[in-house]
Amino acid sequence: MDFSYIFRSAKFIGEQLENAGFVKSDGGTIGQGSEPHAFTLCRTICNSDFYALITLNPTEETLTVQVYDSATNEKYALFDNARSHGSFVASMREEVQKIIEEIRAACFSSADLKEKYIAFLKEHFGAQPDFPWADTPDFCVFRCEKKKWFALIMKIKYKQLGLTGDDDVWVVNMKADADKIASLIDKKSIFPAWHMNKKHWITILLTAATDFDRLCALTERSFELVS
């Protein structure tokens, strides 16, 4: 199962790998010799009847989990089958998700940029947030003098951007030059606009993994375009 979305939501801290229990993919000790591209962590689950093999590759920004039967060392295919929804598989996935959250806490800086970004919008543009939707009171828009939006801050799920993961994430929709959108989109921090015209708008994650200076520069351009 793929949990690579964690690299979109947080900034990787490699110094904590050993403390989290990871070892080199070749079985060596972290910090000795040249570093491999991947690291692994093995954790027992389901009362030791199964174990999860977690593989983290910082170079490729991937984090995957495979589950094996402890008695036979055979891969447990139902864990990866999206159509498997039995109570046992569900409890197994819950255990694995807890392990992933432990890894996130130990090896990633996960503070989001939402509050820092809102402070930037207020100070740089002299704008105040507008909360136009009663059913989503945390969603807000920032407007230029013509009352047009140049930034829409909202919370969606990673899977709505085409990423693996059911977690919620704060994002901002903003306008961009139509002829530059294709080159801006990297499917890491910048995506085709969610729920808006993809020919003129983009969606940017407000996570620790996002380049804040670039986020601010793109916001300035959005302000110019709608003004």
Side-chain angles (χ1 to χ4, degrees):
M1 185 172 289
D2 189 0
F3 292 89
S4 300
Y5 70 88
I6 195 171
F7 281 94
R8 310 286 85 77
S9 66
K11 187 176 181 179
F12 177 63
I13 306 173
E15 295 82 2
Q16 301 300 321
L17 280 172
E18 188 170 16
N19 291 338
F22 280 93
V23 298
K24 289 182 178 181
S25 55
D26 60 7
T29 302
I30 295 174
Q32 293 182 353
S34 60
E35 295 298 332
H37 292 299
F39 303 87
T40 59
L41 170 66
C42 187
R43 293 280 294 272
T44 57
I45 58 175
C46 301
N47 297 319
S48 300
D49 290 334
F50 294 84
Y51 64 90
L53 181 64
I54 300 103
T55 303
L56 189 154
N57 189 322
T59 303
E60 298 182 359
E61 295 190 343
T62 59
L63 179 64
T64 58
V65 179
Q66 293 180 319
V67 171
Y68 295 86
D69 188 311
S70 298
T72 63
N73 287 325
E74 292 181 355
K75 186 177 178 180
Y76 188 67
L78 291 180
F79 176 76
D80 291 315
N81 189 337
R83 297 182 179 180
S84 299
H85 298 294
S87 59
F88 179 72
V89 174
S91 63
M92 176 183 287
R93 289 173 179 159
E94 287 180 7
E95 283 195 52
V96 170
Q97 185 64 49
K98 289 179 181 178
I99 296 172
I100 295 299
E101 294 305 318
E102 291 174 9
I103 294 171
R104 189 208 299 264
C107 301
F108 292 81
S109 173
S110 58
D112 64 52
L113 296 175
K114 180 195 170 193
E115 297 306 323
K116 181 180 179 180
Y117 181 60
I118 289 178
F120 161 77
L121 293 172
K122 291 178 178 179
E123 179 179 354
H124 191 79
F125 300 102
Q128 293 297 319
D130 179 15
F131 301 89
W133 299 288
D135 58 337
T136 52
D138 293 334
F139 292 14
C140 63
V141 298
F142 285 81
R143 306 176 189 270
C144 65
E145 293 181 356
K146 295 182 179 180
K147 304 302 180 184
K148 293 183 178 180
W149 305 350
F150 67 92
L152 162 60
I153 297 174
M154 57 186 174
K155 183 183 289 185
I156 61 177
K157 293 187 180 297
Y158 281 101
K159 65 182 180 182
Q160 291 173 307
L161 295 174
L163 298 174
T164 303
D166 201 42
D167 291 7
D168 293 326
V169 61
W170 285 103
V171 302
V172 55
N173 276 6
M174 65 179 66
K175 203 163 189 180
D177 294 284
D179 60 341
K180 295 180 180 178
I181 286 180
S183 61
L184 288 173
I185 292 171
D186 58 15
K187 298 292 183 72
K188 294 183 177 180
S189 294
I190 306 176
F191 297 81
W194 165 250
H195 217 56
M196 294 184 75
N197 190 328
K198 292 176 174 54
K199 293 182 179 179
H200 301 283
W201 294 77
I202 56 177
T203 294
I204 303 180
L205 297 180
L206 295 178
T207 71
T210 298
D211 184 331
F212 188 74
D213 290 338
R214 191 181 190 202
L215 170 65
C216 294
L218 289 171
T219 306
E220 290 174 346
R221 182 55 182 156
S222 177
F223 183 86
E224 293 171 356
L225 289 169
V226 301
S227 297

